[in-house]
Amino acid sequence: MKAIQITHQQELNIVELEKPQAPSLGEVLLKLCYVGFCGSDINTFMGRNTMALNPVIPGHEVGAVIEAVGAGVPENLKPGMVVTCNPYTNCGKCASCRNNRVNACEHNETLGVQRNGAMQEFIVLPWQKVIPAGTLDTKTSALVEPMSVGFHAVSRAQVTDIDVVMVIGCGMVGMGAIVRAALRGATVIAADIDDEKLALAKTMGAVYTVNTKTEDAHQRLQEITNGFGPDVVIEAVGSVPTYQMAINEVAFTGRVACIGYAKSEVSLQTKYFVQKELDIRGSRNAQPSDFRAVIHYLENNDCPIDTLITKVIRPEQALDTMRWWSENPGKVFRILVEF
């Protein structure tokens, strides 16, 4: 069977692997239909992802069909069913697992990062990691995982309907946060450097937009919030300036949820931590409930799926596409590989 493998920095190959055998006890064999390239994959391709195997088969955003099930798999998982997957592992023994926050397992291995991923025609997974996609098609199902990461950040920030929430970064994860915060009744401010993404954010639930490249972000936020600042800031970029903006702009006694990994150390005014009595929270991956919430949203709302998908490519186009993405990082929501 065909698979995509990132071998070295700026190198990607199509390789032939043996198709997995019939699934064993408790396993499900999936036929991959669409798999998304995400930010971690482009960082692996660029040689900036220190957590990734080398070489590695990327991919953890899955739209698939169940090909076969092994013994001991629950009856609700049947061949022909459209599914996505939870791509994270959990050890069951660390502090996170003990506290039932398995998404933050100390020893997590995400598909396509710390272990080979889903950019291949077939894959075998434990049934516990297979998530029925309801009425969604396989293409839409490949968007569930990245949106669930944004949904989880909103839960971490305990967003309510009386909050003003600023989401910094309007990529797929940020869009997920915008959607979830709006669904909870919050007033959402979308912040980005790209006007096209900001325009799309308004269709996804943002009430206000701020172009942090062309506008005075501080002044604009003060105007929007009547001088208070946002109650919640969700950082969904992972850069020094956006981390600093989150701390500087959040309201006194506000909450900051951090999703992005900054590639270098961030210098922060720690006096604000105390003076503002801030709650600063990491947000990693997603919980099963976040996946279910995203599927429910996509089933019941008019989400602009075609706008969120920048390109659909065949495996043979992956190398050229990744080179193009590395040169045009601000213009991509999601790239799906069709198998």
Side-chain angles (χ1 to χ4, degrees):
M1 68 174 182
K2 192 176 298 183
I4 294 172
Q5 186 180 65
I6 298 173
T7 52
H8 296 91
Q9 183 175 339
Q10 297 281 349
E11 291 185 16
L12 181 153
N13 296 309
I14 307 300
V15 297
E16 286 293 328
L17 303 176
E18 286 191 23
K19 179 183 174 181
Q21 300 300 312
S24 300
L25 178 69
E27 292 182 336
V28 178
L29 174 63
L30 301 184
K31 181 183 186 302
L32 281 307
C33 299
Y34 294 92
V35 183
F37 273 123
C38 83
S40 65
D41 299 321
I42 189 65
N43 282 326
T44 300
F45 181 74
M46 297 289 288
R48 299 187 301 220
N49 189 349
T50 58
M51 295 185 292
L53 293 176
N54 184 21
V56 67
I57 296 171
H60 55 257
E61 303 173 0
V62 167
V65 173
I66 294 178
E67 180 84 358
V69 299
V73 172
E75 292 184 359
N76 67 307
L77 297 176
K78 301 178 184 297
M81 176 182 288
V82 176
V83 296
T84 187
C85 79
N86 182 329
Y88 326 119
T89 64
N90 56 285
C91 69
K93 299 176 182 178
C94 70
S96 300
C97 290
R98 183 179 62 183
N99 291 327
N100 202 32
R101 289 165 64 178
V102 295
N103 57 292
C105 174
E106 181 180 356
H107 307 292
N108 167 65
E109 294 182 352
T110 299
L111 282 175
V113 185
Q114 295 96 338
R115 57 187 173 130
N116 281 324
M119 288 273 179
Q120 50 189 308
E121 292 182 89
F122 295 90
I123 192 170
V124 171
L125 294 175
W127 71 262
Q128 295 91 338
K129 299 298 181 182
V130 178
I131 303 172
T135 60
L136 302 184
D137 59 24
T138 51
K139 185 185 291 185
T140 305
S141 299
L143 303 181
V144 170
E145 192 275 341
M147 292 192 77
S148 73
V149 176
F151 271 46
H152 182 66
V154 171
S155 295
R156 288 286 293 140
Q158 296 179 302
V159 171
T160 72
D161 58 343
I162 63 172
D163 288 321
V164 176
V165 178
M166 177 169 73
V167 178
I168 306 176
C170 295
M172 273 297 297
V173 171
M175 287 297 182
I178 289 167
V179 167
R180 189 56 161 166
L183 287 172
R184 290 191 173 197
T187 301
V188 181
I189 305 167
D192 202 281
I193 61 173
D194 188 286
D195 285 331
E196 291 182 17
K197 289 184 176 180
L198 290 171
L200 180 57
K202 274 213 162 184
T203 71
M204 303 288 283
V207 178
Y208 302 99
T209 60
V210 178
N211 187 316
T212 57
K213 185 177 182 179
T214 61
E215 298 181 78
D216 184 328
H218 175 73
Q219 180 179 339
R220 179 84 173 112
L221 290 167
Q222 290 292 295
E223 292 171 355
I224 293 170
T225 64
N226 296 317
F228 291 109
D231 303 290
V232 174
V233 176
I234 295 174
E235 199 289 331
V237 177
S239 72
V240 173
T242 53
Y243 263 83
Q244 292 171 335
M245 179 184 294
I247 300 300
N248 294 342
E249 299 298 341
V250 70
F252 273 63
T253 68
R255 288 102 69 200
V256 177
C258 305
I259 307 173
Y261 284 88
K263 306 303 182 293
S264 58
E265 291 186 2
V266 182
S267 176
L268 298 169
Q269 290 288 345
T270 56
K271 67 178 183 180
Y272 291 150
F273 298 8
V274 178
Q275 288 180 350
K276 292 185 176 183
E277 199 175 42
L278 298 181
D279 290 332
I280 302 172
R281 304 173 183 181
S283 182
R284 184 183 180 193
N285 300 331
Q287 289 271 25
S289 59
D290 300 308
F291 283 86
R292 294 195 301 271
V294 172
I295 291 169
H296 179 78
Y297 162 73
L298 292 171
E299 284 183 313
N300 293 282
N301 294 272
D302 187 19
C303 180
I305 299 299
D306 291 338
T307 306
L308 294 174
I309 299 172
T310 305
K311 289 186 177 186
V312 178
I313 64 169
R314 301 295 295 175
E316 293 77 14
Q317 300 170 288
L319 177 57
D320 288 341
T321 300
M322 293 297 270
R323 287 173 173 167
W324 170 82
W325 188 6
S326 67
E327 295 169 0
N328 299 274
K331 295 299 181 183
V332 172
F333 282 106
R334 270 304 174 270
I335 295 168
L336 299 186
V337 179
E338 181 179 6
F339 286 90

